[in-house]
Amino acid sequence: MCGWDTDCNAGNVGTVLGVAAGLDGIADKYRAPMNDGIVMSGISGYLNILDIPTYAKELAILGYRLAKRPLSRGAR
């Protein structure tokens, strides 16, 4: 059944490339159509439409709080 879940495969490749090469290492032709947007569905059943930088910041803040670590001034 290899290859059936192609959306996850593409997401994993993008993640690895982003970590290894940063945003500049991913060609604009792949990033531009998404326009830094992410659409997720939650357990409550409604769609959450967020931009990726804001969502990444929310996740980082949550991680700091769970680790009981102080946040920098600009992160709040």
Side-chain angles (χ1 to χ4, degrees):
M1 291 195 202
C2 181
W4 283 22
D5 199 5
T6 57
D7 60 329
C8 292
N9 293 337
N12 291 334
V13 169
T15 299
V16 171
L17 286 174
V19 169
L23 285 177
D24 293 335
I26 301 174
D28 190 52
K29 70 179 182 179
Y30 299 116
R31 293 179 30 231
M34 294 188 310
N35 195 27
D36 276 343
I38 186 169
V39 178
M40 304 175 300
S41 62
I43 294 172
S44 60
Y46 64 90
L47 291 178
N48 301 306
I49 301 173
L50 303 167
D51 64 281
I52 294 172
T54 300
Y55 187 60
K57 181 179 176 181
E58 288 179 22
L59 287 178
I61 290 171
L62 178 60
Y64 274 91
R65 288 183 179 152
L66 288 171
K68 296 181 172 47
R69 302 287 307 239
L71 294 170
S72 65
R73 274 197 162 138
R76 295 182 187 159

